[in-house]
């Protein structure tokens, strides 16, 4: 018996909302809201650039956490194997302690991406190194950089001739800075994403994530509700 695309899509949406409700039932420490707008520029079938603006809220999506601009590039070395890099200029809202206000942070990253297509299914993998620190402060002023190696695997499914797709991603964070007692694997994130590609309009994605810390002083866990939009220009 043939199952329609709408039935499958609704099933995954019901699954998504069930996960969200279950997270609330577990009294998670916080819920964050993430949103972004991205413009991509495909120079060739191998080289691409993008710029994006991001806004994030915390405290059950009631307080602005940060906003930032991100620049990224990716180059395909061989089929489905890409090298990428990016920089992020961050304004972070510090509303805790005696000194509060907006802080300026800078982050850069390098990554390797690989995907394996199996008809309508796609397996994808990413290894990323990232380095972030606050601008205007020295290390002697407790400005210790945050360095991570991040390992992500995922599974994607595309509905034929509809522009609809689903992704399930899992990521493990390994903190590598030597000065911090929280070194090693200390965080993981699970993300479920649903997207729709529109002709001559771009791509809209909705996602839900669950993130948990372990082997850290602050065992904070949170759920993430997000929306993102991307439009790409092809120059070839």
């Amino acid at each position: 018996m043939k199952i329609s695309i709408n039935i499958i899509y609704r099933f995954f949406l019901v699954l998504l909302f069930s996960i969200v409700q279950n997270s609330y039932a577990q009294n998670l420490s916080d819920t964050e809201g993430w949103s972004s707008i991205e413009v991509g520029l495909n120079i060739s079938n191998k080289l691409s650039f993008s710029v994006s603006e991001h806004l994030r809220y915390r405290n059950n999506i009631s307080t602005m956490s940060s906003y930032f601009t991100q620049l990224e590039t990716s180059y395909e070395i061989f089929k489905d194997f890409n090298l990428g890099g990016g920089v992020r200029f961050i304004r972070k809202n510090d509303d805790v302690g005696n000194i509060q206000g907006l802080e300026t942070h800078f982050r850069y990253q390098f990554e390797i991406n690989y995907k394996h297509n199996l008809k309508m299914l796609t397996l994808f993998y990413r290894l990323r190194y990232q380095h972030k620190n606050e601008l205007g402060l020295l290390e002697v002023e407790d400005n210790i950089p945050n360095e991570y190696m991040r390992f992500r695997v995922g599974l994607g499914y595309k509905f034929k001739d509809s522009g609809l797709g689903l992704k399930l991603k899992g990521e493990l964070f390994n903190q590598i800075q030597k000065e911090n007692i929280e070194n090693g694997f200390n965080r993981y994130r699970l993300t479920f994403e649903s997207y729709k590609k529109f002709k001559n309009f771009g791509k809209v994605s909705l996602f839900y994530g669950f993130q948990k810390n372990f082997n850290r002083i602050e065992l904070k866990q949170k759920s993430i509700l997000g929306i993102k939009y991307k439009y790409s220009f092809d120059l070839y």
Side-chain angles (χ1 to χ4, degrees):
M1 181 178 64
K2 187 176 180 180
I3 301 176
S4 70
I5 292 175
N6 287 334
I7 293 176
I8 298 176
Y9 191 61
R10 289 173 184 173
F11 169 77
F12 277 101
L13 287 179
V14 171
L15 177 63
L16 172 60
F17 286 117
S18 297
I19 293 173
V20 174
Q21 291 176 352
N22 183 60
S23 297
Y24 279 115
Q26 295 178 33
N27 295 318
L28 294 182
S29 59
D30 196 12
T31 299
E32 297 192 359
W34 295 5
S35 60
S36 67
I37 299 177
E38 179 178 349
V39 176
L41 188 62
N42 299 319
I43 306 299
S44 68
N45 61 349
K46 291 183 176 292
L47 178 63
S48 64
F49 296 91
S50 69
V51 57
S52 56
E53 293 292 334
H54 299 249
L55 180 61
R56 295 182 176 180
Y57 280 81
R58 62 172 181 263
N59 297 331
N60 295 321
I61 320 182
S62 64
T63 305
M64 193 271 287
S65 173
S66 65
Y67 61 89
F68 56 89
T69 300
Q70 182 162 282
L71 305 174
E72 292 183 284
T73 184
S74 177
Y75 184 78
E76 186 179 54
I77 303 299
F78 53 84
K79 183 175 174 58
D80 296 330
F81 184 89
N82 294 270
L83 296 180
V87 294
R88 181 179 291 186
F89 303 92
I90 307 166
R91 293 287 280 172
K92 180 180 179 182
N93 180 25
D94 181 4
D95 56 0
V96 178
N98 295 326
I99 302 177
Q100 300 184 19
L102 289 175
E103 301 173 347
T104 302
H105 293 249
F106 176 75
R107 194 185 93 174
Y108 63 85
Q109 64 198 39
F110 302 100
E111 61 189 43
I112 301 172
N113 290 276
Y114 177 72
K115 64 178 181 179
H116 181 56
N117 294 311
L118 300 170
K119 294 184 178 180
M120 298 177 72
L121 290 175
T122 301
L123 298 172
F124 48 92
Y125 315 86
R126 187 184 75 185
L127 173 62
R128 168 183 286 181
Y129 166 78
Q130 71 178 44
H131 179 286
K132 184 178 77 170
N133 66 292
E134 183 176 354
L135 297 179
L137 293 179
L138 302 175
E139 288 193 17
V140 294
E141 300 176 282
D142 294 328
N143 184 26
I144 301 175
N146 286 317
E147 296 180 87
Y148 279 96
M149 292 295 296
R150 298 168 56 172
F151 307 88
R152 189 176 77 179
V153 297
L155 175 66
Y157 180 80
K158 295 180 181 179
F159 295 98
K160 188 176 180 180
D161 302 325
S162 67
L164 294 171
L166 303 169
K167 291 182 180 180
L168 181 63
K169 297 175 283 189
E171 188 165 17
L172 190 59
F173 294 68
N174 181 25
Q175 194 167 8
I176 61 177
Q177 61 194 41
K178 296 180 180 180
E179 297 86 353
N180 196 308
I181 62 174
E182 297 178 340
N183 287 346
F185 292 100
N186 58 21
R187 178 187 301 171
Y188 70 83
R189 180 186 298 163
L190 301 175
T191 306
F192 177 83
E193 179 180 330
S194 173
Y195 65 85
K196 168 70 174 177
K197 293 182 179 179
F198 298 91
K199 186 177 180 180
N200 300 324
F201 179 74
K203 178 181 176 181
V204 178
S205 302
L206 300 173
F207 62 92
Y208 167 76
F210 172 75
Q211 180 174 295
K212 185 174 182 179
N213 293 338
F214 57 95
N215 296 331
R216 303 190 71 180
I217 297 174
E218 182 182 17
L219 297 177
K220 184 178 181 180
Q221 58 186 29
K222 61 186 177 184
S223 57
I224 303 165
L225 299 175
I227 182 171
K228 53 186 178 180
Y229 168 75
K230 180 177 181 180
Y231 188 87
S232 297
F233 296 92
D234 294 327
L235 300 184
Y236 64 95

